[in-house]
Amino acid sequence: MTKNISRTAVVVSSSGTYASVRVGRQSACSQCVSRGACRAEGSRNMLVRAKLRGGMTVEPGMVVSVSEPCNAAWAAVTLAYGLPLVVMVAAVCVASVTDSDEIFAAVSALVVVAMYYAVLYSQRGRLGLHFEPVVERILESNG
């Protein structure tokens, strides 16, 4: 069974099967197993687009419970930090095996990693589907 990161959020807007919710980062980070590897900084609140579960309707101001699988956090850390490291080391190794000088090896590693991030950025729409939080239930309504 997959563990979920559950957070309390306030609905900002809603349209169709999605809602924009304001989530406090601290509550999510304290429950996540990858919190030691993650260095999320900035505002303590973030605006997130969350999918509404099965026909749920929400209005601005409602307090809801939003959840996301914890393994999604690990996958995000791997995509953002782990794979680029592997790509960079592989590029340096390939350049070293081909008897290139160190400057070429370093520059080629940086170029390959930049290309990796460009591909990752271009696929953000498809990748976002795998990292999509879900509004589980309404905790407090407006009226």
Side-chain angles (χ1 to χ4, degrees):
M1 183 173 170
T2 304
K3 285 188 171 184
N4 285 337
I5 301 170
S6 293
R7 309 168 238 188
T8 301
V10 177
V11 176
V12 175
S13 66
S14 171
S15 71
T17 59
Y18 289 91
S20 291
V21 296
R22 189 164 309 280
V23 180
R25 278 194 182 159
Q26 195 63 13
S27 64
C29 297
S30 65
Q31 296 176 16
C32 183
V33 294
S34 62
R35 67 184 169 268
C38 182
R39 295 288 177 233
E41 293 184 32
S43 171
R44 289 189 181 259
N45 290 319
M46 60 184 164
L47 195 61
V48 176
R49 186 181 136 192
K51 187 173 179 108
L52 295 172
R53 182 164 280 218
M56 182 183 293
T57 57
V58 294
E59 297 175 5
M62 287 182 162
V63 179
V64 295
S65 174
V66 179
S67 71
E68 188 171 22
C70 204
N71 61 3
W74 278 111
V77 168
T78 301
L79 284 173
Y81 303 112
L83 289 178
L85 177 64
V86 170
V87 167
M88 180 179 275
V89 169
V92 169
C93 290
V94 168
S96 297
V97 168
T98 61
D99 292 328
S100 301
D101 63 347
E102 292 173 354
I103 298 289
F104 178 78
V107 169
S108 64
L110 291 175
V111 167
V112 169
V113 169
M115 289 171 37
Y116 169 82
Y117 280 118
V119 169
L120 195 65
Y121 182 78
S122 71
Q123 298 299 313
R124 69 189 180 280
R126 285 182 38 191
L127 288 171
L129 297 175
H130 299 287
F131 302 102
E132 188 172 69
V134 176
V135 175
E136 294 289 335
R137 65 185 189 277
I138 299 170
L139 301 175
E140 294 177 26
S141 72
N142 289 340

